[in-house]
Amino acid sequence: MRRTVFNEDHEAFRETLRAFIEAEVVPVYDEWFAAGQAPRDFYYKLGELGIFGISVPEEFGGAGLDTHKFEAVLYEETARAGVQFGGSGVHVLLALPYIKMLATDEQKKRYLPKFVTGEEMWAIAMTEPGTGSDLAGMKTTAKLSEDGTHYVLNGAKTFITGGVHADRVIVCARTAAPTAEDRRHGISLFAVDTKSEGYSVGRKLDKLGLRTSDTAELAFVDVKVPVEDLLGEENKGFYYLGHNLASERWGIAFGAYAQAKAAVRFAKQYVQERTVFGKPVAHFQNTKFELAACQAEVDAAEAVADRALEALDAGELTAAEAASAKLFCTEVAHRVIDRCLQLHGGYGYMNEYPIARLYADNRVNRIYGGTSEIMKTIIAKDMGL
């Protein structure tokens, strides 16, 4: 079936991106993997390539394109090469929508030019030790000073992807107590400068997968945050967070589909080259049947991911549709990658093979951005159940 989601501009971008990955990432990726993060200067290269500015308005140094299709190409090409761009995905997929939606003109002038070049890398800090998905239960506080010039931030966050290299972090904190009627009331968002006194990065967390993305614990002790760095209105942060969940979940869904597609590619190449009992593994009927079944699942996931992409670009992707896409694509990726690793035999368990890294990287897709169980709850509620 012919795909219609991409045009000539997207394919030209794909060629440029593929060449960049082959030249700048593949030769050094093992070093990144061993170090547990991409080097900070790599993000300047992504800025030069224009990755960070695709959907940033031209007046702030971006291309001004109101589409997620170039991001989709990025997901496909990094998965195809078996690499990750460190923690930079959070910079664009998670942080940028909040800046575009909530920042004042003055804030955009301060934030976006450095965002585009990679001079200021952004992350977002929601999760806290002991709260997990229950954002309404967060304990981090931001209290307005008596003179009204700044907030005083205290608390801790964990599982913050991009947290080691981040220059600014969108921190979710309580500016008021929850009410009896609404536990979600009283949360606000702040664009916190990581060079602020009292701001510290704790452990760089040792993850099962996504080894090249820096994920850290953060701590805030009497951090002064200027009132000029409040994003949006005070106490409405929880509702802002919910507004961007559909695009976040689409990103996870599309990334998972791309990983499944890459897994089939890796497995196909391996079984054609690997010889057992005097003939290539690809010649066995079981190999053919397994890969055929995986390809059929990938075709279905591609259709779901593409449909969600078109709806997202049109501003029509609902919460339930995004949940459905995430649930389906991540579950497909789980099954496909597992079967493709099995076709590699013992070598599939070795990190020198991309399928092993892909297996570990993929597992978190059914957890972050809302677990599969949460996605089912959202879908069921939309069904009137």
Side-chain angles (χ1 to χ4, degrees):
M1 295 177 285
R2 186 175 66 89
R3 294 178 82 184
T4 59
V5 70
F6 298 124
N7 62 28
E8 293 180 359
D9 290 338
H10 304 125
E11 295 306 330
F13 175 69
R14 186 188 302 278
E15 292 181 12
T16 299
L17 186 58
R18 188 173 295 183
F20 173 83
I21 291 172
E22 288 298 322
E24 300 288 345
V25 182
V26 172
V28 294
Y29 196 71
D30 285 346
E31 297 174 20
W32 296 6
F33 189 84
Q37 62 185 30
R40 177 62 178 84
D41 60 5
F42 173 67
Y43 298 138
Y44 291 109
K45 294 180 180 181
L46 292 181
E48 292 172 4
L49 192 64
I51 296 294
F52 298 148
I54 291 171
S55 63
V56 172
E58 293 182 59
E59 61 188 294
F60 303 116
L65 301 176
D66 188 19
T67 177
H68 291 268
K69 292 184 178 180
F70 292 96
E71 290 174 37
V73 172
L74 178 62
Y75 284 126
E76 291 187 333
E77 290 305 306
T78 51
R80 179 184 182 276
V83 301
Q84 298 279 338
F85 279 179
S88 65
V90 169
H91 184 68
V92 175
L93 181 64
L94 298 188
L96 182 57
Y98 291 103
I99 301 172
K100 292 172 65 176
M101 177 176 70
L102 301 175
T104 64
D105 289 341
E106 183 276 331
Q107 288 175 322
K108 289 177 181 177
K109 289 176 183 177
R110 283 195 290 126
Y111 300 153
L112 287 176
K114 293 179 180 180
F115 181 101
V116 170
T117 61
E119 184 179 347
E120 272 194 356
M121 293 300 296
W122 287 61
I124 184 165
M126 292 184 274
T127 304
E128 296 182 1
T131 60
S133 298
D134 181 20
L135 294 180
M138 71 175 58
K139 299 295 191 294
T140 298
T141 60
K143 296 182 179 180
L144 188 63
S145 62
E146 291 184 2
D147 61 7
T149 61
H150 63 273
Y151 291 85
V152 180
L153 181 67
N154 283 283
K157 300 289 182 177
T158 192
F159 304 149
I160 310 307
T161 299
V164 174
H165 285 319
D167 301 288
R168 276 196 185 267
V169 176
I170 298 175
V171 177
C172 310
R174 280 211 164 275
T175 44
T179 65
E181 297 78 20
D182 189 358
R183 292 179 63 243
R184 300 168 295 183
H185 171 76
I187 295 172
S188 301
L189 307 184
F190 299 91
V192 180
D193 186 339
T194 63
K195 296 185 296 295
S196 302
E197 184 178 352
Y199 180 105
S200 63
V201 178
R203 291 187 303 150
K204 182 169 74 67
L205 300 174
D206 186 16
K207 305 189 301 295
L208 170 67
L210 301 178
R211 301 284 298 183
T212 63
S213 69
D214 49 307
T215 301
E217 297 173 330
L218 306 179
F220 321 112
V221 179
D222 294 333
V223 177
K224 293 182 179 180
V225 182
V227 292
E228 292 82 9
D229 287 327
L230 171 68
L231 284 175
E233 294 184 42
E234 199 177 75
N235 300 329
K236 292 188 176 180
F238 192 95
Y239 305 98
Y240 297 145
L241 295 173
H243 186 274
N244 287 322
L245 279 176
S247 62
E248 179 184 349
R249 287 168 179 164
W250 163 79
I252 297 170
F254 205 96
Y257 138 71
Q259 289 176 325
K261 182 176 181 178
V264 173
R265 175 175 178 267
F266 295 145
K268 178 182 175 183
Q269 181 179 2
Y270 179 82
V271 298
Q272 288 175 328
E273 296 173 353
R274 173 70 169 163
T275 299
V276 177
F277 303 124
K279 59 182 179 180
V281 176
H283 287 193
F284 293 93
Q285 186 181 62
N286 179 67
T287 303
K288 296 176 182 179
F289 282 6
E290 283 292 284
L291 282 178
C294 288
Q295 184 61 53
E297 289 218 75
V298 169
D299 287 344
E302 180 180 86
V304 170
D306 284 357
R307 186 181 69 176
L309 173 55
E310 295 284 21
L312 181 63
D313 267 13
E316 298 172 354
L317 185 64
T318 68
E321 289 168 344
S324 178
K326 181 182 184 296
L327 176 65
F328 183 77
C329 291
T330 58
E331 294 291 341
V332 164
H334 161 63
R335 293 191 296 270
V336 167
I337 294 170
D338 184 74
R339 294 168 84 171
C340 287
L341 186 149
Q342 187 74 15
L343 288 173
H344 281 72
Y347 289 104
Y349 207 63
M350 301 296 110
N351 273 326
E352 65 185 276
Y353 283 81
I355 192 66
R357 299 179 183 184
L358 195 58
Y359 184 87
D361 289 348
N362 167 75
R363 185 59 184 89
V364 76
N365 289 333
R366 291 181 288 150
I367 298 173
Y368 66 4
T371 63
S372 291
E373 291 74 24
I374 294 295
M375 297 304 100
K376 292 173 184 177
T377 300
I378 294 170
I379 297 165
K381 184 177 180 180
D382 185 67
M383 294 170 66
L385 299 173

